[in-house]
Amino acid sequence: MYKVKRAQLKKGRLSSEADGQTKQAEPKLAIDSEGNIIDQPEVHAQAHHQQEHGNPEGGNHENQASAKGQGKGKSEEHMTSEELELKEETQIPTDFGRLKRALEEKVGLNKSFDVVFREMVFGGQKTGIFYYNGFAKDFVLTEILERLSYAGNEGEQQQEQTSRNRYRANYTNEEEKQEGEGKDQHSSLITLFDEALIPHIQVKTTSKLKEAVDNVAMGGTAFFFEGQEEAILVDAKTFPVRSTEEPDLERVVRGSRDGFVETLLTNVTLVRRRIRDPRLKLEITQVGKRTQTDICIAYIQDICDMNLVEAVRDKIKSVKVDGLPLAEKQLEEAIIGKGWNPYPMVRFSERPDVVSAHLLEGHMIIFVDTSPSVMILPTTFFHHIQHAEEYRQTPFIGTYFRWVRFTGILASLFLLPLWFLIVSSPELKPVGLEFLGPEKPAKIPLLGQFVIAEAGIDLMRMAAVHTPAPLATAMGLVAAVMIGDVAVKTGLFVNEVILYMAIAAVGTFATPSYELSLANRLSRLALLLAAAFFKVPGLVIGSTVLVIFLVVQRAYNTPYMWPFIPFNANAMFNIIIRKPFLSMKTRMSLTKTTDSTRQPQKN
């Protein structure tokens, strides 16, 4: 009886000691004087030593199990020389065992559930099919496998016949025959599968394992063959993609209803459909060590300034980052480098017709995979205030729409500062405008009302983005009735503040470029504060500083306020007046085009 109890106590004591030792082996969190979390090599080394050698009092089986579980995800510092060699493998191994081990170290084969290596036999040749499950286009690969399954011994017969013919034609020395026999058998097998047995239009061969892995990561499928140092890459892929619907930010009453999507190939195809010029060039490259994001540069070779193309190409190639998960916005910051400048240096668009029109004007386009927005270079301030709807109407109506939009943009910038200046300084009121200003003051000062209203509009805008569509109407009623109306009735705000704030907000929403509207909103707030604190000199100096700031900006050696400064009468007239299509005979000089005529002469 006592022995049993004593055994139980002893068992509990050992368990407690083991738990204590396990707790001591856990790494501790360390923070330096600047608040950064730092590593403690000595703690990790001690824990790793205990895991390898075990606890002295019977905890070996637990540590062995733990070490066994951690063996599946080793860091590089704990990898063996063989594992490091497999991870850095560059050539395609001829043995499938070593090939699968290399894929385990490179891409996580047998660890990641969507990485597949399917082994099959076709025509007596053992074949390995390597692909990512989510990217594989099922019906295309099914057709390929069906064709390969009917190959039978065709591969062996063709291989023997091809080798025999090549020996007789090319080799006279017996030793050269034996040396060349193996090479011909390998090349003839790859050639047979490439040219005869794989019925697909996008097929290429490679002897580099990294190229095969990268191709599969982009959605392709790799065919490996036992005993061969080459692989066949088949571009049979599919991506989750939505339909090419009209963009929400660039809607038109008349015109095309298609728009860019998150798939690069679909986007360039939409442009190819509109511009069938063989001189339209689409160069592709990858950015990001880990994401390897596809970047496409589009331009028309005999129109676009090639110096601009080379400068942008070099900039993109010089970007050294781990990835571009936010696509075009991160790439813009990397190649433009505008810092804290709120004004956009490139124009974004999701409409293929707008992008095609800019290509014909001599601009270059940058597509980024996984993003429906493309970048247009070079651009000025006036590119951001034009809309496709102006060109979908008659020249007279288009000009009217343009003037109304310009008026709204100017009102969004200067209406609130001017009204505040006139109301706060009654001696500045012009004759006939004595009615301006509130009849009685509110409980909150005018400047405070404007600042609160600005913040409230931004808050409602952000709430509208995150609010589900069925609840958007309810949110609008809450903002308009329960907040605005109640604020006026309780005496916190005056009616005129709400009125002029609404006019400025409408002008902001009428700005075609979303990025420009946000920058103008910050400039309006700065001008309002300048007028409030420094009266007339503050507004004049603030407006002058804003204009000078915009004038000195340059995007790839392009003046931002062209053609206003430096002044170009013909180009400025084209901005103010929407001219008829056939009257625009030349392209703008801004893009430095090689072929400047829009109406080529008939041959």
Side-chain angles (χ1 to χ4, degrees), residues 42-61:
E42 64 277 2
V43 175
H44 292 292
Q46 181 181 0
H48 182 66
H49 176 78
Q50 291 181 0
Q51 288 177 356
E52 286 187 348
H53 299 283
N55 291 333
E57 298 187 9
N60 292 335
H61 62 284

Side-chain angles (χ1 to χ4, degrees), residues 163 341 455 514 529 559 603:
S163 300
N341 179 13
Y514 179 70
L529 294 175
N603 294 328

